[in-house]
Structure formats: structure tokens, C-alpha cells
Amino acid sequence: IRDKAEAARKYAKQAGVSLKGQNMLAEIKLRCERKAGEISKEMPRQPGKRTDLTSQHDVNRLPTKTEMADDMGVPVMTLDRWELEAEVPEEQFEEHVEAIKAGEKELTSASVLRLAKKLRPKPEPIPLPKGKYNVIYADPPWEYGDHLVEGYGAVDNHYPQMSIKELCDMPVGGCVCDEAVLFLWVTSPLLDECWPIISAWGFEYKTSFVWDKVKHNYGHYNSVRHEFLLICTRGSFLPQCKTLHDSVITEERSQKHSEKPESFRQIIETMYPIGKKLELFGRKKTDGWTVFGNEIV
């Protein structure tokens, strides 16, 4: 129903149908997206998990969110966006739709996403782990301030972002040994903005890896298919093995937004097999690492 409504809306727009008619179709599309988002939220993230939708007498497990996306023929990040649309309370959603109609504006998914982000409370900061660490691996929730194009989905559709100041103010330096290394993920648009963070955390830039994602991503100036993993040090903390890894790693990106290949963690563990390891903004527990993040499963 959603796809048919969207196809009809696009046709109506091209055919010069009134904005009122276009918005009627857009409203159907949005209500379908919100319903799909509600269902997606109830899907287990790991195989075999049960949720409130699963009867105690039901021997069949629910499909995972990824399986649901595959079955629907959409990327997982699309379900992320629809889940965010579904977060808007019913009353505020209805008020938004009526306000758009009254103002004779175009009703879009982007407008609902902006409302969702405005209403979404900022999560309380969680304290950094205690102790001192030699190896830091960080994938910050960079703030882009970019809404991109309708239907694509900007970064803040997927997780709360942090400003450069907020990242600089994190007391990372207090949990780092005098001899340490930082592996920091950064994308091309933000390459110029990462240096104050590196300095604030007490490190100096040395070199980088380039992740060739194979699949392309939307960009304003080119089709971006790479990301940087910067290597920065505090004191003198050279690799503990003689193996020199290729600086360009080619591995196809997954459908999950911002997910990094495990091969990079393995490279880090090969370079620094000895020492206490801390992952910042991690999403899952990993043997041999202390993991900090608000999405850990």
C-alpha cells in the first residue's frame, strides 16, 4: 500500500494534480510507514529472540529486523527511518498533518522525521569506564547537520548525534595511559573537524587506513565509497608486531547504518595484542574489550 501510494503521489505531482491531492496520497504513505515502523520495533534484533508479539505457545520464532527488511525489499536503514517516524505520538502526528494541509505545504516523510527528532529526548550521558587503557577504538556519532534528500535518510535518523564540542568535552584523556594509541573513524565531510577532538583527548595524528566500502553512498560532490580510520598516539606506542597491513582495506559495507567490518578490529588486535582495550560508542560486547556506548546489546 505504501509503495502504491508513493507511486501515485509521484505521478500526481508530474501530472500537475493539486497539492491537496498529492498530500492525500502522501498521508496514506506516511501512515503506512509509521505502521511498518511500529512493527519493525517489535522484531527481534537477534535470531531466536522472542518479543511481546510471540505467544508462549508459538514454536515459530519471529523474523529478525534484517529478515523483515529483506522480505520487504528495503534496506535496514529504511526501517530505522520508519521507526523514527513511528515515535511521533499520534496527537502530534495528526496536528502536524493538519498544519501542513492548512499551510498548503507539501507533506513529506522528511517533515515528520524532523518533528520526531525535535520531540526525541536527548539520552543522558553515561560515565566512561574506570581504569586506564592503552588501545582506544572510537566510532563517534558525528553531527552532520545535513538532511540530505527526501527518502535517503540522514545520519540522525539512526542515532543521536554529538557536536564537536560535546565530543571534545568527553573526559577520554582521563582513562588513557601515557603510552597509548587511538583508532578513530571519520568520514570525508568531517575530516577537517576531527583534529580538535584528537587534541582534546590527548593524542597526535600519525597515519590512516582507508576503508573501501565497494558500495557507494550519497554525497553532494561525489559518490562516496570510503571512510577513514585515523591512527593517533600518545607518547611512544608503536605496534607490537612487525606485520604491516595494507593501508586500503576493501570490504563491502553492510546494510546496517555505520556498521564497521570486524576485520578492522582484528587488525588492531594484531597490531596491539598486549594492553587494555577500550571501544568508544560500541554496539555490542566483545571479548577482550571494555565497550562504552548507549546501544550495546
Side-chain angles (χ1 to χ4, degrees):
I1 296 172
R2 183 265 175 203
D3 289 348
K4 289 180 179 179
E6 174 62 358
R9 183 196 67 80
K10 289 181 177 179
Y11 178 80
K13 188 171 185 178
Q14 293 173 354
V17 174
S18 68
L19 185 60
K20 180 179 179 181
Q22 295 176 42
N23 281 344
M24 287 176 61
L25 295 164
E27 185 176 342
I28 296 172
K29 180 195 78 164
L30 280 167
R31 293 188 186 280
C32 290
E33 290 177 355
R34 280 168 55 82
K35 180 57 67 176
E38 291 174 4
I39 296 171
S40 176
K41 280 189 173 183
E42 296 298 327
M43 294 297 102
R45 272 37 179 176
Q46 301 294 329
K49 298 289 184 181
R50 292 181 176 272
T51 71
D52 293 339
L53 295 182
T54 311
S55 165
Q56 61 179 341
H57 303 296
D58 186 0
V59 296
N60 298 315
R61 69 171 180 83
L62 286 173
T64 64
K65 179 178 176 178
T66 300
E67 290 169 339
M68 176 182 173
D70 290 341
D71 186 53
M72 296 176 69
V74 300
V76 172
M77 63 180 63
T78 296
L79 292 184
D80 290 340
R81 189 171 70 248
W82 293 350
E83 287 182 11
L84 184 53
E85 291 178 24
E87 288 181 11
V88 178
E90 194 67 28
E91 183 178 352
Q92 280 92 333
F93 174 75
E94 298 297 341
E95 289 177 354
H96 175 75
V97 171
E98 291 306 315
I100 293 290
K101 290 179 179 178
E104 297 185 350
K105 298 178 181 178
E106 185 177 2
L107 180 60
T108 65
S109 298
S111 68
V112 178
L113 288 169
R114 286 193 290 271
L115 175 61
K117 294 163 197 171
K118 182 179 178 181
L119 296 174
R120 182 171 58 184
K122 193 152 188 174
E124 290 293 324
I126 57 177
L128 287 170
K130 295 181 179 179
K132 297 283 188 178
Y133 298 86
N134 305 99
V135 180
I136 314 296
Y137 183 34
D139 186 12
W142 299 100
E143 185 176 73
Y144 284 80
D146 186 354
H147 298 295
L148 297 178
V149 296
E150 171 70 13
Y152 181 82
V155 169
D156 58 350
N157 292 347
H158 308 284
Y159 47 72
Q161 300 176 60
M162 292 179 68
S163 68
I164 298 300
K165 183 179 185 307
E166 288 173 326
L167 289 168
C168 286
D169 288 344
M170 289 182 63
V172 175
C175 59
V176 177
C177 298
D178 292 336
E179 306 282 328
V181 62
L182 166 68
F183 292 86
L184 179 70
W185 282 109
V186 62
T187 59
S188 287
L190 294 175
L191 188 57
D192 191 48
E193 300 187 40
C194 68
W195 312 118
I197 298 169
I198 294 171
S199 178
W201 290 359
F203 290 89
E204 293 183 358
Y205 170 74
K206 295 299 179 182
T207 188
S208 66
F209 283 105
V210 177
W211 172 27
D212 175 2
K213 303 179 181 182
V214 182
K215 293 180 180 178
H216 292 264
N217 286 323
Y218 174 84
H220 289 296
Y221 299 95
N222 57 12
S223 182
V224 185
R225 57 177 277 182
H226 70 280
E227 194 163 339
F228 296 103
L229 180 61
L230 308 185
I231 303 176
C232 314
T233 61
R234 172 188 284 194
S236 178
F237 200 60
L238 293 171
Q240 298 162 349
C241 75
K242 296 181 179 180
T243 302
L244 288 178
H245 297 275
D246 196 323
S247 63
V248 178
I249 307 297
T250 301
E251 186 166 342
E252 188 171 313
R253 64 175 172 82
S254 71
Q255 282 193 330
K256 188 172 182 181
H257 188 85
S258 191
E259 185 175 58
K260 303 302 187 294
E262 277 299 306
S263 56
F264 284 97
R265 186 193 304 277
Q266 294 165 6
I267 288 173
I268 295 171
E269 292 175 342
T270 300
M271 293 173 67
Y272 293 96
I274 302 171
K276 292 186 64 178
K277 298 176 176 64
L278 171 64
E279 181 176 1
L280 299 177
F281 312 107
R283 293 178 175 177
K284 63 181 181 180
K285 297 178 181 178
T286 305
D287 290 342
W289 292 77
T290 299
V291 184
F292 164 90
N294 61 8
E295 296 184 348
I296 299 173
V297 294

